[in-house]
Amino acid sequence: MSSIIGARHPQRVWTLVLSLLAASIGSAAMAQTPEPFASTRPTARIEYWQQRLNEIEARLSDPASLAPIRLVFLGDSITDFWTMAENPWFPGTTGGRAVWTGTFGGADSAYLALNMGISGDRTEHVLQRILPKGEGGLGELDRPDLDPEVIVLLIGINNSWAAEDPAVSSIFEGVRAVVEAVHARKPRAVIVLQSLLPTNETDRNENVVKPVNAALAAFASESPQTAYVRYLDLYPTFLTPDGQQNRAFFMDAVHPDEDGYRAWRDRLVPFLDDLRQ
């Protein structure tokens, strides 16, 4: 019967064959079509800092994971990027994740750390995060389960942009306020107050970074801070012999790369060991 139909209506047969062939090719093409671009999918806007804040809050809501923590790192993106692998904003550059995992990830329980750095934070933002919830803050240091021996602090460089006048006094006072707030929440912890790192701007280094570091060093050497603050001067570690920022240790003008975090780790760990003696 089919042969008779084909003989009588050859044009219909070829039309049907071509239609089936087109449908088959179309289905195969659709099966091979890649996923739509992210630009085509409705997505709520979540900034990087919000994502980090959510991650920290989730970690703080798990008491079992907090008790073993011996170190808390607090600060801005320079602290945050200890846990970054490839930098999504600067392709080809890598943060400190490998160094962090190998040293502070738990292989040695004495150095198990919680990273509470958030990119973009200024001193006032850190203050708001650690202010008790009853006073309108986020209460990030309020958990009794979180009882670190040491809180490693580096904050202030972001206050050198859109700075209050005078910048040095503003930054110093902001850092001092953070130190006092941290001590009030965790009075048993030693605070390792770290210097600001050099930027790639000579004027900023000379007129802001160095004077702030000098003020922080003096602050740490005065009573009552001497009972709970230890100052770690990282600035020279990140310089070339001629006193400029060592670009081999940075993935941009401000943030260390993996080698920079390794150099930082190599200064910090012996410093922590001395504290424990």
Side-chain angles (χ1 to χ4, degrees), residues 86-103:
E86 183 175 355
N87 188 319
W89 302 290
F90 294 91
T93 62
T94 305
R97 178 182 290 180
V99 182
W100 179 271
T101 301
T103 305

PDB file of all heavy atoms in Angstrom, residues 86-103:
ATOM      1  N   GLU A  86      41.344  31.238  42.852  1.00  0.00           N
ATOM      2  CA  GLU A  86      41.538  32.145  41.715  1.00  0.00           C
ATOM      3  C   GLU A  86      40.687  33.392  41.915  1.00  0.00           C
ATOM      4  O   GLU A  86      39.515  33.312  42.284  1.00  0.00           O
ATOM      5  CB  GLU A  86      41.165  31.469  40.400  1.00  0.00           C
ATOM      6  CG  GLU A  86      41.411  32.360  39.179  1.00  0.00           C
ATOM      7  CD  GLU A  86      41.152  31.664  37.863  1.00  0.00           C
ATOM      8  OE1 GLU A  86      40.880  30.453  37.886  1.00  0.00           O
ATOM      9  OE2 GLU A  86      41.212  32.347  36.819  1.00  0.00           O
ATOM     10  N   ASN A  87      41.282  34.536  41.663  1.00  0.00           N
ATOM     11  CA  ASN A  87      40.588  35.798  41.828  1.00  0.00           C
ATOM     12  C   ASN A  87      39.623  36.006  40.654  1.00  0.00           C
ATOM     13  O   ASN A  87      40.049  36.058  39.501  1.00  0.00           O
ATOM     14  CB  ASN A  87      41.609  36.946  41.871  1.00  0.00           C
ATOM     15  CG  ASN A  87      40.986  38.279  42.226  1.00  0.00           C
ATOM     16  OD1 ASN A  87      39.906  38.615  41.765  1.00  0.00           O
ATOM     17  ND2 ASN A  87      41.674  39.038  43.055  1.00  0.00           N
ATOM     18  N   PRO A  88      38.311  36.127  40.932  1.00  0.00           N
ATOM     19  CA  PRO A  88      37.360  36.272  39.827  1.00  0.00           C
ATOM     20  C   PRO A  88      37.434  37.623  39.134  1.00  0.00           C
ATOM     21  O   PRO A  88      36.937  37.771  38.019  1.00  0.00           O
ATOM     22  CB  PRO A  88      35.996  36.088  40.523  1.00  0.00           C
ATOM     23  CG  PRO A  88      36.236  36.497  41.938  1.00  0.00           C
ATOM     24  CD  PRO A  88      37.648  36.085  42.242  1.00  0.00           C
ATOM     25  N   TRP A  89      38.039  38.620  39.780  1.00  0.00           N
ATOM     26  CA  TRP A  89      38.122  39.959  39.199  1.00  0.00           C
ATOM     27  C   TRP A  89      39.432  40.179  38.451  1.00  0.00           C
ATOM     28  O   TRP A  89      39.520  41.053  37.598  1.00  0.00           O
ATOM     29  CB  TRP A  89      37.967  41.014  40.294  1.00  0.00           C
ATOM     30  CG  TRP A  89      36.676  40.884  41.037  1.00  0.00           C
ATOM     31  CD1 TRP A  89      35.418  41.148  40.571  1.00  0.00           C
ATOM     32  CD2 TRP A  89      36.508  40.425  42.376  1.00  0.00           C
ATOM     33  NE1 TRP A  89      34.482  40.897  41.539  1.00  0.00           N
ATOM     34  CE2 TRP A  89      35.119  40.453  42.662  1.00  0.00           C
ATOM     35  CE3 TRP A  89      37.397  40.005  43.377  1.00  0.00           C
ATOM     36  CZ2 TRP A  89      34.608  40.061  43.897  1.00  0.00           C
ATOM     37  CZ3 TRP A  89      36.876  39.615  44.609  1.00  0.00           C
ATOM     38  CH2 TRP A  89      35.501  39.646  44.846  1.00  0.00           C
ATOM     39  N   PHE A  90      40.452  39.411  38.802  1.00  0.00           N
ATOM     40  CA  PHE A  90      41.763  39.525  38.151  1.00  0.00           C
ATOM     41  C   PHE A  90      42.187  38.135  37.690  1.00  0.00           C
ATOM     42  O   PHE A  90      42.959  37.462  38.378  1.00  0.00           O
ATOM     43  CB  PHE A  90      42.804  40.121  39.097  1.00  0.00           C
ATOM     44  CG  PHE A  90      42.544  41.556  39.478  1.00  0.00           C
ATOM     45  CD1 PHE A  90      41.793  41.872  40.599  1.00  0.00           C
ATOM     46  CD2 PHE A  90      43.038  42.591  38.707  1.00  0.00           C
ATOM     47  CE1 PHE A  90      41.542  43.183  40.956  1.00  0.00           C
ATOM     48  CE2 PHE A  90      42.792  43.909  39.047  1.00  0.00           C
ATOM     49  CZ  PHE A  90      42.038  44.206  40.178  1.00  0.00           C
ATOM     50  N   PRO A  91      41.649  37.651  36.558  1.00  0.00           N
ATOM     51  CA  PRO A  91      41.972  36.300  36.077  1.00  0.00           C
ATOM     52  C   PRO A  91      43.481  36.083  35.987  1.00  0.00           C
ATOM     53  O   PRO A  91      44.233  36.973  35.578  1.00  0.00           O
ATOM     54  CB  PRO A  91      41.312  36.264  34.691  1.00  0.00           C
ATOM     55  CG  PRO A  91      40.208  37.261  34.772  1.00  0.00           C
ATOM     56  CD  PRO A  91      40.718  38.355  35.659  1.00  0.00           C
ATOM     57  N   GLY A  92      43.890  34.902  36.415  1.00  0.00           N
ATOM     58  CA  GLY A  92      45.306  34.570  36.391  1.00  0.00           C
ATOM     59  C   GLY A  92      46.010  34.852  37.692  1.00  0.00           C
ATOM     60  O   GLY A  92      47.187  34.524  37.833  1.00  0.00           O
ATOM     61  N   THR A  93      45.317  35.470  38.643  1.00  0.00           N
ATOM     62  CA  THR A  93      45.896  35.723  39.959  1.00  0.00           C
ATOM     63  C   THR A  93      45.194  34.847  40.994  1.00  0.00           C
ATOM     64  O   THR A  93      44.035  34.468  40.833  1.00  0.00           O
ATOM     65  CB  THR A  93      45.768  37.198  40.369  1.00  0.00           C
ATOM     66  OG1 THR A  93      44.376  37.554  40.466  1.00  0.00           O
ATOM     67  CG2 THR A  93      46.460  38.096  39.360  1.00  0.00           C
ATOM     68  N   THR A  94      45.921  34.527  42.053  1.00  0.00           N
ATOM     69  CA  THR A  94      45.435  33.584  43.052  1.00  0.00           C
ATOM     70  C   THR A  94      45.630  34.146  44.443  1.00  0.00           C
ATOM     71  O   THR A  94      46.678  34.704  44.762  1.00  0.00           O
ATOM     72  CB  THR A  94      46.182  32.240  42.929  1.00  0.00           C
ATOM     73  OG1 THR A  94      46.050  31.750  41.591  1.00  0.00           O
ATOM     74  CG2 THR A  94      45.613  31.210  43.898  1.00  0.00           C
ATOM     75  N   GLY A  95      44.609  33.987  45.268  1.00  0.00           N
ATOM     76  CA  GLY A  95      44.682  34.408  46.665  1.00  0.00           C
ATOM     77  C   GLY A  95      45.340  33.360  47.537  1.00  0.00           C
ATOM     78  O   GLY A  95      46.111  32.527  47.068  1.00  0.00           O
ATOM     79  N   GLY A  96      44.998  33.375  48.810  1.00  0.00           N
ATOM     80  CA  GLY A  96      45.750  32.576  49.778  1.00  0.00           C
ATOM     81  C   GLY A  96      45.145  31.254  50.183  1.00  0.00           C
ATOM     82  O   GLY A  96      45.574  30.670  51.186  1.00  0.00           O
ATOM     83  N   ARG A  97      44.164  30.737  49.426  1.00  0.00           N
ATOM     84  CA  ARG A  97      43.451  29.546  49.892  1.00  0.00           C
ATOM     85  C   ARG A  97      44.377  28.372  50.188  1.00  0.00           C
ATOM     86  O   ARG A  97      44.220  27.687  51.211  1.00  0.00           O
ATOM     87  CB  ARG A  97      42.389  29.110  48.892  1.00  0.00           C
ATOM     88  CG  ARG A  97      41.656  27.831  49.352  1.00  0.00           C
ATOM     89  CD  ARG A  97      40.630  27.355  48.357  1.00  0.00           C
ATOM     90  NE  ARG A  97      39.493  28.251  48.300  1.00  0.00           N
ATOM     91  CZ  ARG A  97      38.441  28.061  47.509  1.00  0.00           C
ATOM     92  NH1 ARG A  97      38.404  27.014  46.705  1.00  0.00           N
ATOM     93  NH2 ARG A  97      37.438  28.923  47.521  1.00  0.00           N
ATOM     94  N   ALA A  98      45.317  28.092  49.314  1.00  0.00           N
ATOM     95  CA  ALA A  98      46.196  26.945  49.530  1.00  0.00           C
ATOM     96  C   ALA A  98      47.004  27.117  50.813  1.00  0.00           C
ATOM     97  O   ALA A  98      47.205  26.153  51.570  1.00  0.00           O
ATOM     98  CB  ALA A  98      47.133  26.764  48.335  1.00  0.00           C
ATOM     99  N   VAL A  99      47.451  28.342  51.064  1.00  0.00           N
ATOM    100  CA  VAL A  99      48.215  28.622  52.286  1.00  0.00           C
ATOM    101  C   VAL A  99      47.297  28.483  53.502  1.00  0.00           C
ATOM    102  O   VAL A  99      47.675  27.885  54.526  1.00  0.00           O
ATOM    103  CB  VAL A  99      48.832  30.026  52.224  1.00  0.00           C
ATOM    104  CG1 VAL A  99      49.659  30.300  53.467  1.00  0.00           C
ATOM    105  CG2 VAL A  99      49.688  30.185  50.963  1.00  0.00           C
ATOM    106  N   TRP A 100      46.109  29.049  53.406  1.00  0.00           N
ATOM    107  CA  TRP A 100      45.146  28.980  54.504  1.00  0.00           C
ATOM    108  C   TRP A 100      44.803  27.526  54.840  1.00  0.00           C
ATOM    109  O   TRP A 100      44.847  27.109  56.000  1.00  0.00           O
ATOM    110  CB  TRP A 100      43.879  29.743  54.143  1.00  0.00           C
ATOM    111  CG  TRP A 100      42.820  29.695  55.203  1.00  0.00           C
ATOM    112  CD1 TRP A 100      41.834  28.756  55.345  1.00  0.00           C
ATOM    113  CD2 TRP A 100      42.651  30.616  56.285  1.00  0.00           C
ATOM    114  NE1 TRP A 100      41.068  29.044  56.443  1.00  0.00           N
ATOM    115  CE2 TRP A 100      41.538  30.171  57.040  1.00  0.00           C
ATOM    116  CE3 TRP A 100      43.329  31.773  56.687  1.00  0.00           C
ATOM    117  CZ2 TRP A 100      41.089  30.847  58.173  1.00  0.00           C
ATOM    118  CZ3 TRP A 100      42.878  32.453  57.811  1.00  0.00           C
ATOM    119  CH2 TRP A 100      41.772  31.991  58.545  1.00  0.00           C
ATOM    120  N   THR A 101      44.454  26.759  53.815  1.00  0.00           N
ATOM    121  CA  THR A 101      44.049  25.376  54.040  1.00  0.00           C
ATOM    122  C   THR A 101      45.169  24.570  54.678  1.00  0.00           C
ATOM    123  O   THR A 101      44.928  23.792  55.611  1.00  0.00           O
ATOM    124  CB  THR A 101      43.620  24.728  52.709  1.00  0.00           C
ATOM    125  OG1 THR A 101      42.530  25.482  52.153  1.00  0.00           O
ATOM    126  CG2 THR A 101      43.192  23.285  52.921  1.00  0.00           C
ATOM    127  N   GLY A 102      46.386  24.784  54.209  1.00  0.00           N
ATOM    128  CA  GLY A 102      47.511  24.019  54.733  1.00  0.00           C
ATOM    129  C   GLY A 102      47.900  24.380  56.145  1.00  0.00           C
ATOM    130  O   GLY A 102      48.420  23.536  56.885  1.00  0.00           O
ATOM    131  N   THR A 103      47.648  25.627  56.546  1.00  0.00           N
ATOM    132  CA  THR A 103      48.112  26.090  57.854  1.00  0.00           C
ATOM    133  C   THR A 103      46.973  26.269  58.855  1.00  0.00           C
ATOM    134  O   THR A 103      47.090  25.863  60.016  1.00  0.00           O
ATOM    135  CB  THR A 103      48.867  27.422  57.717  1.00  0.00           C
ATOM    136  OG1 THR A 103      49.933  27.264  56.770  1.00  0.00           O
ATOM    137  CG2 THR A 103      49.443  27.860  59.063  1.00  0.00           C
TER     138      THR A 103
END
